[in-house]
Amino acid sequence: WVSPNVTALLGWSADDWVGHNRAEFTHPDDIPADPQTAGQVGVAGRRGGRVRLRAKGGGYRWLDMSLTDVWDTAGRGVGEVGSARDIDEAMQVEEELAQSSAQLRLVLDNSADVVAHLGADGTVLWISPSVQRAYGWDPQEITGTRFRLAAPESAAQMDAVFANAVATGLNVFHARLRVRCADGSTRWADTRNTLVWDPAGGLSEMVVGLRDAEEAVGFERELADRERGLRVMVGGATDVVFGIATDNT
């Protein structure tokens, strides 16, 4: 027996359901190993879970199903009594929130001067407006194209690093590169590249965060020059020059 309101919910008549196994109407991904069990086993013969049931007009709707075993006087199971509550809209909201949360995490994880969202083929799906302030490029002209910020002298290096990341299944990799600016100049940038994989293991998309490293590179070069100068001085000194660690070694 099925209550008549199944028609309003899924479009089927009660007669369409009577005499059929409910697995015939359940989404394949929601059918557990035991075809007579929907959801996780609970206590006192009760169980339940969220499942998708097939609508007569096509597609599926999410329902929160609760099942209770029915026993005869001899303690034998003779059937089940179940109820189902429509939660399709709630599940859609949950999915939208999950997607928004994932996008927010990607942005926060890649907090930088410029953030770009790329497709698997390198197409710019979205790029932060700050790209115009940082490098002079109009974000609207870049979006939807396979525009590359990497300067020619860094392109081959980035291709190699990217290919290695894809081949080894990395989720995140870092790289330093020269970025080409709209005025023809280039600047150093540190990048954090987050790879997003689809369920089949293929690359789905990538989020790139760029942070200007021009000053950092200049400072590193200054330190390197000082170190080279110190080595020259030490090599030509007549007295002994040495360094002492905090433990006097």
Side-chain angles (χ1 to χ4, degrees), residues 17 20 23 27 38 70 95 102 120 161 195 200 202 220-221 234 238-239:
W17 273 58
H20 292 268
H27 191 286
V70 177
E95 183 177 354
V161 174
L195 305 184
E220 290 173 5
R221 287 177 174 174
V234 170
T238 55
D239 297 328

Side-chain angles (χ1 to χ4, degrees), residues 109-115 135 149 154 157-158 173-179 187-193 207-218 220:
D109 288 345
N110 290 275
S111 179
D113 298 332
V114 176
V115 177
Y135 305 117
L149 282 173
S154 293
Q157 170 204 347
M158 287 301 296
F173 70 92
H174 297 80
R176 175 170 285 178
L177 75 158
R178 296 290 290 177
V179 174
R187 294 184 65 84
W188 283 107
D190 288 327
T191 66
R192 184 182 193 276
N193 307 270
V207 176
V208 181
L210 296 96
R211 181 173 290 109
D212 187 76
E214 192 72 16
E215 291 186 3
V217 171
E220 290 173 5

Side-chain angles (χ1 to χ4, degrees), residues 22-165:
R22 66 171 175 271
E24 298 176 34
F25 300 92
T26 304
H27 191 286
D29 292 344
D30 298 336
I31 299 176
D34 178 358
Q36 293 301 316
T37 302
Q40 297 180 345
V41 176
V43 296
R46 297 179 181 178
R47 54 196 180 275
R50 295 176 171 183
V51 296
R52 285 164 289 183
L53 296 184
R54 181 162 52 91
K56 187 172 185 178
Y60 290 84
R61 292 190 68 84
W62 279 103
L63 289 94
D64 188 7
M65 184 177 292
S66 176
L67 301 171
T68 302
D69 291 325
V70 177
W71 311 88
D72 62 15
T73 55
R76 296 179 299 235
V78 295
E80 301 168 328
V81 174
S83 62
R85 181 168 55 92
D86 184 16
I87 57 169
D88 197 67
E89 290 186 5
M91 291 297 292
Q92 291 179 20
V93 171
E94 283 188 18
E95 183 177 354
E96 291 172 0
L97 288 175
Q99 292 176 352
S100 298
S101 178
Q103 291 173 353
L104 177 60
R105 285 196 300 271
L106 287 173
V107 171
L108 291 178
D109 288 345
N110 290 275
S111 179
D113 298 332
V114 176
V115 177
H117 181 193
L118 310 178
D121 63 351
T123 299
V124 179
L125 305 178
W126 177 85
I127 191 166
S128 60
S130 57
V131 69
Q132 190 157 25
R133 181 183 67 253
Y135 305 117
W137 299 106
D138 185 340
Q140 294 183 347
E141 294 181 359
I142 294 175
T143 301
T145 72
R146 296 182 67 181
F147 182 85
R148 295 193 67 176
L149 282 173
E153 58 266 34
S154 293
Q157 170 204 347
M158 287 301 296
D159 287 343
V161 174
F162 173 70
N164 178 70

